[in-house]
Amino acid sequence: MVIDCFAFFKEMKNKMYSKIDTKIIEELGAIVGQTNVQTTKDILKAYGHDETEDFVFLPEVVVIPNTVGEVSKIMRLCNQQKIPVTPRGAGTGLAGGALPVCGGILLSMERFNKILNIDEQNLQITTETAVITEVLQNAVKEKGLYYPPDPASKGTCYIGGNINTNSGGPHAVKYGVVKDYVLNLEVVLPNGEVIWTGANTLKNSTGYNLTQLMVGSEGTLGIVTKAVLKLIPQPSQSLLLLIPFESPESACAAVSAIFRAGITPSCLEFMERRAIEYALVYLGDMKMMIPDEVQAHLLLEVDGYYIESLYEDCEQIAKVVEGFGAEEILFADNDAQKRELWRLRKCVGRAVKKGTIYKEEDTVVPRAELPKLLKGVKMIGQNYGFESVCYGHAGDGNLHVNIVKGELTEQQWNEELPKAITEIFELVKSLGGTISGEHGIGWVQRPYMPIVFGEVELGLMSAIKNVFDPNNILNPQKIF
Ligand code: MLT
Ligand code: ZN
């Protein structure tokens, strides 16, 4: 769906923002060089989408800076001229955070792709923000170090995008999410000023926490150009278990019991049967027989330094899951088997996207509430007549609910489905959860924010935005 943002927001845009004319294009060219200012239709289209459904919003121009000084000059110009700017990392987002919904400039950060320093003494890395997450992980692994946050798109997504959505991924359950690794950020503010948000320290009680304010702010408060991230030693051993269950709800109930037994897995993922079926079709080359009665799996990893103690953990886990009706467990103890199982799990989102029209909800609840969430999602699906494919980071209570269009009519999809999503989110809220665990709010989840925040909280957020960006030029129409 290609959306002409001028038509879409015409009235608002005309009131609030200036149109980009040839003079502005020349000024942008003088800042970054003409070749890094692109206006051809194909380029505008290529940068007008991320991975969110099939949305495409055309920007007026794509600008590709290379230095913090260039970003600063661009922002100063846009702030003076009231031109909207949408920052973009790798475009792997699932909530439309990088969609240029108001047109204007699409600011691609792709040239900020250098790792600047790995400090082995202090276990820190300083990096530009368009470094691919897996590239950074591999660079520190060579030195025996570990940067755990690992979203499914880690082979293509950028550290900057991860910071802006406070990404997690499977290892978050033991090691935490991006916010737990960000120490200090270089940020260009909407008026062009450049700041550092904190210090390169593990502790910091010095004033308001600007670093954590930036984390998860989805490019609405500033443009993150450099990051200092915490590292930890790389665990040397791991075991991976695939645990089948007849009942998806029992699989979810087993999750909190594992933690209550005193074990903290390094990953604890849930996949219902349909999730694996979509993944197998997508991969094409993987053979896996799932007995008819098996309706869900937990994929569980334990890691550490002593293999014997990991085997002991696994024995204990086997006892716990037996109490929840687990079938025969597959132990993956060689690298090839582990790689295959992760390949299966990590492609589920892409597999559903390729296989059908869908919408992805990123629900999260306290982990013991997971069975109630799953049951409720399925009931809401029955009431509205849609199929959902549920999977995700069960150890964190983070369930991705992919709603499949299937036989739904356009009217049901466009008018009825938002009511169903509202019911899912109200359920999430009633269970003590919230509407995004790791994908962010961006453009598509914005209408649902009042389910989890009242006027006062939304007013505070809006006031914070106004302090940073009084002209509302930076990633407008996102979050709230
Ligand atoms: C995942 O857990 O697979 C990711 O969040 C990606 C996705 O949901 O598509
Ligand atoms: Zn996920």
Side-chain angles (χ1 to χ4, degrees):
M1 185 197 308
V2 181
I3 299 178
D4 175 358
C5 28
F6 299 116
F8 197 64
F9 282 123
K10 203 162 183 198
E11 217 171 297
M12 184 197 79
K13 260 188 64 72
N14 287 347
K15 263 195 226 139
M16 290 184 62
Y17 301 121
S18 312
K19 201 163 159 40
I20 296 178
D21 55 21
T22 46
K23 187 162 169 287
I24 300 279
I25 297 280
E26 273 167 27
E27 284 186 56
L28 290 167
I31 297 170
V32 295
Q34 285 304 340
T35 51
N36 296 305
V37 179
Q38 300 282 343
T39 51
T40 59
K41 193 81 189 240
D42 283 353
I43 303 261
L44 299 184
K45 217 167 155 188
Y47 285 85
H49 67 87
D50 55 14
E51 287 296 322
T52 312
E53 300 173 36
D54 58 350
F55 289 113
V56 183
F57 284 83
L58 297 179
E60 289 158 78
V61 56
V62 174
V63 182
I64 313 175
N66 193 30
T67 66
V68 63
E70 290 176 4
V71 176
S72 166
K73 283 183 189 158
I74 294 165
M75 291 316 300
R76 195 160 292 144
L77 174 69
C78 291
N79 199 39
Q80 277 159 5
Q81 301 294 331
K82 306 223 173 19
I83 293 167
V85 178
T86 304
R88 184 183 204 268
T92 55
L94 295 163
L99 295 174
V101 297
C102 291
I105 291 179
L106 187 293
L107 192 78
S108 174
M109 296 301 288
E110 66 201 80
R111 293 165 76 201
F112 284 72
N113 58 3
K114 287 170 268 320
I115 291 176
L116 301 173
N117 180 38
I118 300 176
D119 178 349
E120 292 177 70
Q121 298 301 314
N122 287 304
L123 303 194
Q124 291 178 7
I125 182 167
T126 304
T127 183
E128 292 186 332
T129 43
V131 171
I132 291 176
T133 305
E134 192 167 35
V135 169
L136 184 139
Q137 284 182 325
N138 289 340
V140 302
K141 192 175 179 184
E142 275 177 25
K143 300 183 186 298
L145 299 174
Y146 185 31
Y147 174 75
D150 59 344
S153 55
K154 71 175 184 177
T156 48
C157 64
Y158 293 164
I159 288 292
N162 296 174
I163 292 169
N164 272 293
T165 50
N166 191 17
S167 299
H171 286 91
V173 66
K174 177 170 177 184
Y175 292 105
V177 296
V178 166
K179 76 172 169 55
D180 301 306
Y181 292 86
V182 179
L183 301 177
N184 201 0
L185 297 170
E186 180 188 72
V187 178
V188 181
L189 299 178
N191 65 5
E193 302 227 41
V194 182
I195 62 163
W196 277 92
T197 56
N200 302 357
T201 52
L202 294 172
K203 297 172 80 178
N204 189 339
S205 299
T206 319
Y208 291 143
N209 197 331
L210 296 178
T211 308
Q212 294 299 337
L213 183 57
M214 285 295 156
V215 176
S217 64
E218 303 193 51
T220 61
L221 300 180
I223 296 169
V224 182
T225 42
K226 286 191 196 89
V228 182
L229 306 171
K230 182 176 95 169
L231 304 171
I232 58 175
Q234 177 84 43
S236 55
Q237 310 288 339
S238 72
L239 293 172
L240 190 61
L241 317 182
L242 185 67
I243 313 173
F245 291 84
E246 281 185 28
S247 151
E249 280 173 47
S250 297
C252 288
V255 170
S256 65
I258 292 167
F259 288 88
R260 290 200 305 274
I263 293 167
T264 302
S266 47
C267 299
L268 183 37
E269 300 283 304
F270 169 81
M271 290 178 279
E272 69 168 316
R273 186 183 178 100
R274 286 296 283 142
I276 295 191
E277 286 171 348
Y278 268 102
L280 290 173
V281 171
Y282 176 79
L283 293 172
D285 62 352
M286 193 184 283
K287 301 260 169 301
M288 183 173 169
M289 277 300 299
I290 312 174
D292 286 349
E293 68 278 10
V294 170
Q295 292 301 318
H297 286 85
L298 292 179
L299 182 64
L300 185 152
E301 185 192 81
V302 284
D303 74 356
Y305 298 92
Y306 304 103
I307 196 76
E308 281 73 24
S309 91
L310 298 187
Y311 279 121
E312 277 168 26
D313 283 352
C314 289
E315 270 172 36
Q316 211 184 331
I317 289 163
K319 276 191 205 135
V320 173
V321 296
E322 207 183 318
F324 292 84
E327 310 268 308
E328 196 177 336
I329 298 175
L330 171 77
F331 276 77
D333 50 9
N334 68 60
D335 285 348
Q337 269 182 336
K338 287 178 198 167
R339 259 198 313 275
E340 282 299 273
L341 285 175
W342 278 121
R343 197 158 73 95
L344 181 78
R345 161 61 190 90
K346 293 229 166 174
C347 79
V348 174
R350 269 174 289 135
V352 179
K353 183 168 185 173
K354 177 113 192 276
T356 174
I357 297 175
Y358 84 114
K359 277 186 194 294
E360 175 149 359
E361 310 308 332
D362 178 31
T363 60
V364 59
V365 291
R367 72 165 78 92
E369 310 303 328
L370 212 51
K372 286 187 203 146
L373 174 61
L374 185 70
K375 189 171 174 200
V377 166
K378 296 297 171 186
M379 266 175 56
I380 294 166
Q382 264 172 23
N383 294 344
Y384 283 85
F386 66 75
E387 185 206 352
S388 62
V389 181
C390 294
Y391 69 102
H393 318 292
D396 285 326
N398 187 188
L399 189 73
H400 299 317
V401 179
N402 284 9
I403 299 173
V404 169
K405 181 154 185 270
E407 302 298 308
L408 296 186
T409 62
E410 290 304 312
Q411 190 266 340
Q412 285 170 316
W413 188 247
N414 294 322
E415 288 166 34
E416 294 301 310
L417 194 60
K419 294 181 202 158
I421 295 172
T422 301
E423 282 187 31
I424 292 174
F425 286 161
E426 282 169 352
L427 170 66
V428 159
K429 163 91 170 153
S430 74
L431 295 172
T434 193
I435 65 175
S436 177
E438 57 175 19
H439 295 168
I441 298 301
W443 163 251
V444 290
Q445 306 299 7
R446 210 173 64 125
Y448 304 105
M449 281 288 269
I451 296 173
V452 284
F453 288 117
E455 265 175 44
V456 178
E457 293 91 345
L458 289 172
L460 278 171
M461 289 192 202
S462 162
I464 291 169
K465 166 74 174 166
N466 197 44
V467 168
F468 279 80
D469 185 15
N471 293 321
N472 196 22
I473 56 158
L474 190 58
N475 215 4
Q477 301 295 320
K478 303 295 165 63
I479 305 185
F480 52 84

